[in-house]
Every structure is written in structure tokens, then in C-alpha cells.
Amino acid sequence: LFAQEAARLASETEIRAVNAERAADDCYAAEWMRGHLSEPFSGAVSGLTEHGVYVRLENSVEGLLPAAALALNFDGARYVSKPGFPRRTLSFGDRLAVQAVRADVASGEIHFAPLDPALDAHSPQNTAPPPPPKKPKKTKHSKKRSSKGRKRGSKRANSRHA
């Protein structure tokens, strides 16, 4: 009984230590990245979620490319082009160029933006053109009426006497 309890406590302590080490690594990475905001980096997709794409750079720094920054939709396994845009996909292991746009040292969070205009939701080529103006619908009452052959007020006068 003592050995089982000691083993359980040792495992919990090890898990806490590993989590603390990862959190510290994330904070150090964010601190480093603060000095390199807007610089181009090459990386690979290391994770895919509905919140975005995780990208691991060649120097092992990892950050999030938020879904809102992408001109792609998540289908549960990969990101695919939104309807009406050029066919494009992003899946695990794909290489891509990014730039860091945010690095929060306290939380260890790093956010990227895509450098490829085909992936960037905010790129002019990916913003949908405004819809064409709608033409007013023609109804039978919207036709221009001709006043030829009618006396002024004759329709009204006839309807009163009917």
C-alpha cells in the first residue's frame, strides 16, 4: 500500500515538473520571438485544430496560426479552401512561410500570420468582391402608366358610381 501511494505521488510530481518545464520553455520562446516580430520564418504544420494551425519553426519554436487568419476552413482532418477561392489545403507536415505577429511572454503564446497570400484571409486576393447591386424587381404596379386616352380622375370617378 505504501509503495503504491509513493509511486502515485511520484508520478503526479513528475507530471507537474514536465508541465512546468514546458511552460517555461514556451515563455522563453515567446521572449525570443518578441525580438523577431514581422520577420519571415519557414516552418511545418505540427498540429491542426478548429482554432488554427500549429506551426513549428526550424529552430523548434512553435506558435499558432489562428483560423481567422486563414482563407481556409477546417474539415476535421485538414484545412481546405473556402468556396470560391483557389483550391488549397493544409495538413500535418506541410511546409509554409509565416511571420510572428504576437508574442506574449507571460502566457508563452506566439501567433503567426501566413506569408503566402493564397492562405491569408486578409489578402486582397482573398477578400470577396462586393456583390453586384440588386436591380429593383419589376411589378405590375411599377410600370410607367400612360395617361393617353384617360381623363384625369376618370378611374376614380367610375369606381364611385359602380
Side-chain angles (χ1 to χ4, degrees):
L1 188 64
F2 172 75
Q4 288 175 342
E5 183 64 16
R8 185 184 64 76
L9 289 173
S11 292
E12 289 175 1
T13 303
E14 179 66 20
I15 290 169
R16 282 197 308 271
V18 167
N19 289 338
E21 183 180 358
R22 287 180 183 161
D25 287 345
D26 290 346
C27 292
Y28 283 124
E31 184 176 11
W32 179 83
M33 188 57 79
R34 279 182 55 184
H36 299 279
L37 294 176
S38 299
E39 290 181 20
F41 291 96
S42 179
V45 174
S46 60
L48 299 158
T49 71
E50 63 186 24
H51 303 292
V53 175
Y54 286 93
V55 179
R56 182 174 296 270
L57 304 181
E58 293 170 352
N59 63 3
S60 79
V61 170
E62 188 173 53
L64 178 68
L65 180 54
L70 294 170
L72 306 169
N73 290 327
F74 187 56
D75 72 0
R78 61 190 175 144
Y79 274 86
V80 296
S81 303
K82 291 181 178 178
F85 293 104
R87 183 140 176 83
R88 188 71 195 254
T89 63
L90 266 184
S91 36
F92 191 79
D94 286 351
R95 306 282 306 164
L96 68 152
V98 295
Q99 68 179 6
V101 293
R102 182 175 162 260
D104 182 17
V105 176
S107 67
E109 291 182 1
I110 298 170
H111 284 198
F112 294 123
L115 289 178
D116 182 349
L119 297 175
D120 189 351
H122 306 294
S123 171
Q125 78 180 36
N126 291 331
T127 53
K134 292 184 177 180
K135 294 180 181 178
K137 292 182 179 178
K138 291 187 177 184
T139 63
K140 62 181 179 182
H141 299 292
S142 66
K143 292 181 181 177
K144 196 172 185 180
R145 293 184 182 193
S146 171
S147 61
K148 288 184 180 179
R150 285 193 188 161
K151 292 182 183 175
R152 184 172 239 178
S154 64
K155 187 175 184 180
R156 196 177 326 145
N158 290 340
S159 64
R160 284 188 202 157
H161 299 296

